[in-house]
Amino acid sequence: MKLTEVQFQPWHTLVDRFHICPNCSWVYASYETKVGIPCKHCGQPIARQTIYSWSGATSVLDAIQDFYFLRRAKPQSPDIDGIAEHVHTNETDTRIVIPLLFCTLWEVLMTRFCVELLRAKAIDDTFQERLLSDYRYARDKRDKLFPGLTGEKWIDALVELTKSSELNYTNHFEFYRNINRKRNAFIHGGFHWHFKDDELEKIPEELWPVFSLFAQLHNRYIPNLLRQREISRAP
């Protein structure tokens, strides 16, 4: 099912369908697991379905949906509600809003993942806040904080995850990075927006890959870090 074919059901109910094993913290897409079957990571039976929370990211996802369909709104004639005034002007052009929200979604998920890494490594709360402040930008988190916490370069991790997935995470990242460059030029450089219609149409297709990517990043690092902590605490 394409998200663009779904207008009245919140997109997050279709994309945000992940559960986490209560035994080892491995994250599954909901269709991959059922209560009672063994976790494919730790082998323990899954006693209950525990939702893997994405915090505020789902609100951004639904906002993208709202603006996607607002862009297609056809004003009545006469335009009693004033839709044309708000949709068909450069001031509120959804060709700007949708890419900005997509980049915001990426930043929210990146920050959330870094917090997961910091907590899994049992880093002091005060030092966590300092690190997140020092590496406040998404690029700094990818290029500096991420390698420091994992010992692996960002792009190398994406290449490895792509090898075992039906999704191409490196291509997805390049799409995001292209959108983000244009977003930064618009916000920080004062340049006119350069987002193309085909890019706007592709953004909904990239929403499942971004959630899937961060679920797989979680699985690549978090369960093992938590297990190492348990071993170190064992008598």
Side-chain angles (χ1 to χ4, degrees):
M1 177 186 296
K2 289 186 177 181
L3 291 181
T4 53
E5 297 174 351
V6 181
Q7 181 171 359
F8 299 109
Q9 179 180 352
W11 281 358
H12 84 264
T13 63
L14 301 172
V15 174
D16 179 22
R17 303 179 68 182
F18 292 87
H19 292 87
I20 186 167
C21 174
N23 302 306
C24 69
S25 296
W26 190 269
V27 171
Y28 296 88
S30 58
Y31 61 81
E32 294 180 307
T33 183
K34 295 180 180 179
V35 172
I37 69 170
C39 168
K40 66 180 181 182
H41 181 68
C42 69
Q44 296 296 315
I46 297 175
R48 64 183 184 277
Q49 292 280 31
T50 304
I51 294 174
Y52 180 61
S53 173
W54 297 100
S55 303
T58 53
S59 298
V60 182
L61 175 61
D62 289 342
I64 293 174
Q65 177 185 15
D66 291 341
F67 280 99
Y68 181 85
F69 287 104
L70 177 62
R71 185 166 177 259
R72 282 156 178 70
K74 301 296 182 182
Q76 299 175 351
S77 183
D79 186 14
I80 299 174
D81 298 322
I83 292 178
E85 178 183 353
H86 295 286
V87 177
H88 304 291
T89 66
N90 285 333
E91 183 180 357
T92 57
D93 196 327
T94 55
R95 283 176 290 182
I96 295 173
V97 179
I98 293 173
L100 297 191
L101 287 172
F102 179 63
C103 293
T104 299
L105 176 65
W106 245 90
E107 292 173 3
V108 168
L109 293 174
M110 187 70 211
T111 298
R112 183 189 180 285
F113 173 61
C114 287
V115 169
E116 274 196 311
L117 282 173
L118 292 167
R119 289 176 177 172
K121 294 177 78 69
I123 293 176
D124 176 80
D125 288 348
T126 302
F127 193 41
Q128 284 187 37
E129 293 178 6
R130 179 180 172 182
L131 287 171
L132 292 173
S133 176
D134 289 345
Y135 302 104
R136 64 176 60 90
Y137 301 114
R139 182 174 61 183
D140 290 338
K141 289 184 176 73
R142 293 192 308 268
D143 296 345
K144 299 176 182 178
L145 183 57
F146 175 83
L149 294 173
T150 66
E152 194 170 29
K153 291 182 179 179
W154 172 260
I155 194 62
D156 291 342
L158 298 195
V159 169
E160 289 303 312
L161 289 173
T162 297
K163 290 179 181 178
S164 58
S165 174
E166 296 179 357
L167 299 172
N168 191 317
Y169 296 123
T170 54
N171 286 351
H172 166 74
F173 176 61
E174 285 306 314
F175 174 78
Y176 154 74
R177 192 154 59 171
N178 178 53
I179 295 294
N180 197 52
R181 287 194 195 102
K182 295 181 179 183
R183 171 250 198 192
N184 289 340
F186 175 76
I187 293 179
H188 303 298
F191 296 102
H192 194 265
W193 56 265
H194 293 289
F195 303 113
K196 301 175 182 178
D197 285 346
D198 62 337
E199 291 172 334
L200 299 189
E201 291 301 316
K202 187 170 174 57
I203 283 175
E205 299 175 13
E206 297 296 323
L207 295 176
W208 168 254
V210 68
F211 279 87
S212 177
L213 168 60
F214 281 97
Q216 295 310 314
L217 284 166
H218 168 103
N219 288 344
R220 187 170 178 82
Y221 304 104
I222 304 301
N224 288 337
L225 286 172
L226 295 177
R227 183 170 179 273
Q228 289 169 13
R229 281 176 57 186
E230 291 179 3
I231 293 173
S232 67
R233 292 174 180 172

